[in-house]
Amino acid sequence: MKYYNYETFKNDTNKLLLLLREHDFEAIVTVARGGFTLAHAVSQGLNIRDVQSIRTELYDKDKKREKIKLFQKCDFRNLKRVLLLDDISDSGETLSAVMGYLKEEFKEIEFKSATLFYKKTSMYEPDFWINEVDDWIDFFWERDFLEDKTIS
Amino acid sequence: MKYYNYETFKNDTNKLLLLLREHDFEAIVTVARGGFTLAHAVSQGLNIRDVQSIRTELYDKDKKREKIKLFQKCDFRNLKRVLLLDDISDSGETLSAVMGYLKEEFKEIEFKSATLFYKKTSMYEPDFWINEVDDWIDFFWERDFLEDKTIS
């Protein structure tokens, strides 16, 4: 497990921005909680003020397999291109479910997805990603705010 | 104007977490875009998975003064304590409007607010804040992802 620090995030996000700039996205939607820091940075980098979030919960539908339920639906009006952001496409189930909802609910909008990390075993490959990874990532936002953290 | 870097943010957010831990918040709501990075960090620090966002827009109602319109309303069910997060209470108009909406819409929920920065001239004082400030803050998320940023 590798610690993913802010400086590396900054460089990766700026690389991602180079891929995203030409696409004229008008709004960003991200998945709570993992995508929030990236969505903030990308919204600044692309100068997009319309940033929305979706929350997902896993639940056992029939005790055989987990299903994903979505909360806080989006509100896009008269938009053409919207960017879906998350930190990682790990199993890919969340991004696949969210993208499915977005495309079904807003048929007139073109959605593209972007992540910092992509696992080859993921069932969903984002349109844009920066790093391919096999291992678990220890993101700075998961490490730096734990209860036993010393405050300098 | 002072550059507010990630390390300082990390320390300030951990100080804020010390104030917030005892309050047993069940959900977080934040304001796009400014509160997103803080909301991500605090949600990890407090182990809160329910993170939602509100988007605001300023508009001229009668060309005399600006009004604030809210988008992407929240969805809180059976909750008792919810934390509203933003980076700064500057004029205080946004936080005042959002808190007004939350208290009106969810009368049974106790809302508290927290920010990293508070301006004495703000019309709204958050329940919890870390730094008092007179000047403009150059947050790292507003600086580090600009188009002319060199990628190392």
Side-chain angles (χ1 to χ4, degrees), chain B residues 22-151:
Chain B
E22 64 192 87
H23 291 273
D24 294 324
F25 294 111
E26 298 152 302
I28 287 170
V29 53
T30 190
V31 187
R33 304 172 287 187
F36 264 54
T37 300
L38 178 64
H40 197 174
V42 169
S43 75
Q44 291 284 346
L46 298 180
N47 197 24
I48 292 173
R49 302 189 69 85
D50 186 349
V51 185
Q52 303 185 32
S53 66
I54 285 182
R55 186 167 65 86
T56 64
E57 270 182 21
L58 287 172
Y59 69 102
D60 277 327
K61 202 191 174 187
D62 51 11
K63 310 235 172 186
K64 277 178 192 159
R65 62 191 196 109
E66 286 179 320
K67 286 269 178 185
I68 291 172
K69 198 174 171 187
L70 306 184
F71 297 87
Q72 214 196 16
K73 301 301 170 65
C74 294
D75 173 21
F76 301 120
R77 288 177 207 178
N78 306 315
L79 298 184
K80 286 177 185 161
R81 282 170 301 279
V82 173
L83 176 63
L84 170 61
L85 286 174
D86 207 352
D87 50 355
I88 181 168
S89 186
D90 194 328
S91 75
E93 283 183 47
T94 301
L95 275 174
S96 175
V98 171
M99 195 55 121
Y101 151 72
L102 292 171
K103 288 186 170 174
E104 177 64 29
E105 188 81 10
F106 305 98
K107 291 195 172 67
E108 71 286 8
I109 298 178
E110 182 188 4
F111 290 95
K112 296 279 184 189
S113 58
T115 60
L116 294 168
F117 290 93
Y118 165 61
K119 268 194 188 163
K120 241 184 186 163
T121 53
S122 174
M123 64 179 278
Y124 178 87
E125 183 177 356
D127 297 295
F128 310 96
W129 51 267
I130 296 300
N131 303 296
E132 194 175 299
V133 68
D134 297 320
D135 203 3
W136 184 259
I137 309 294
D138 194 18
F139 292 105
F140 65 87
W141 50 75
E142 291 173 345
R143 165 85 76 87
D144 291 355
F145 307 98
L146 301 180
E147 200 150 356
D148 56 357
K149 209 72 205 164
T150 308
I151 295 173

Side-chain angles (χ1 to χ4, degrees), chain A residues 16 19-20 23 25 27-31 38 42 46 81-89 92 94-100 102-103 109-118 122-130:
Chain A
L16 189 59
L19 304 177
L20 299 176
H23 292 274
F25 294 111
I28 287 170
V29 52
T30 189
V31 187
L38 178 64
V42 169
L46 298 181
R81 282 169 301 279
V82 173
L83 176 64
L84 169 62
L85 285 174
D86 206 354
D87 51 356
I88 181 169
S89 187
T94 301
L95 276 174
S96 174
V98 172
M99 194 55 120
L102 292 171
K103 288 186 170 175
I109 298 178
E110 183 188 3
F111 290 96
K112 297 280 184 188
S113 58
T115 61
L116 294 168
F117 290 93
Y118 165 62
S122 175
M123 65 179 278
Y124 178 85
E125 183 177 355
D127 297 295
F128 309 95
W129 50 267
I130 296 299

Side-chain angles (χ1 to χ4, degrees), chain A residues 34-96:
Chain A
F36 264 54
T37 300
L38 178 64
H40 197 174
V42 169
S43 75
Q44 291 283 346
L46 298 181
N47 196 23
I48 292 174
R49 301 189 71 86
D50 186 349
V51 184
Q52 304 185 31
S53 66
I54 284 183
R55 186 168 64 87
T56 64
E57 270 182 22
L58 286 172
Y59 70 101
D60 277 329
K61 200 191 176 186
D62 51 10
K63 310 233 173 186
K64 276 178 192 159
R65 65 192 194 108
E66 286 179 320
K67 287 269 178 184
I68 292 172
K69 198 174 171 187
L70 306 184
F71 297 87
Q72 216 197 13
K73 302 299 170 66
C74 294
D75 173 20
F76 300 120
R77 287 177 207 177
N78 306 316
L79 298 183
K80 286 177 186 163
R81 282 169 301 279
V82 173
L83 176 64
L84 169 62
L85 285 174
D86 206 354
D87 51 356
I88 181 169
S89 187
D90 194 327
S91 74
E93 284 182 48
T94 301
L95 276 174
S96 174

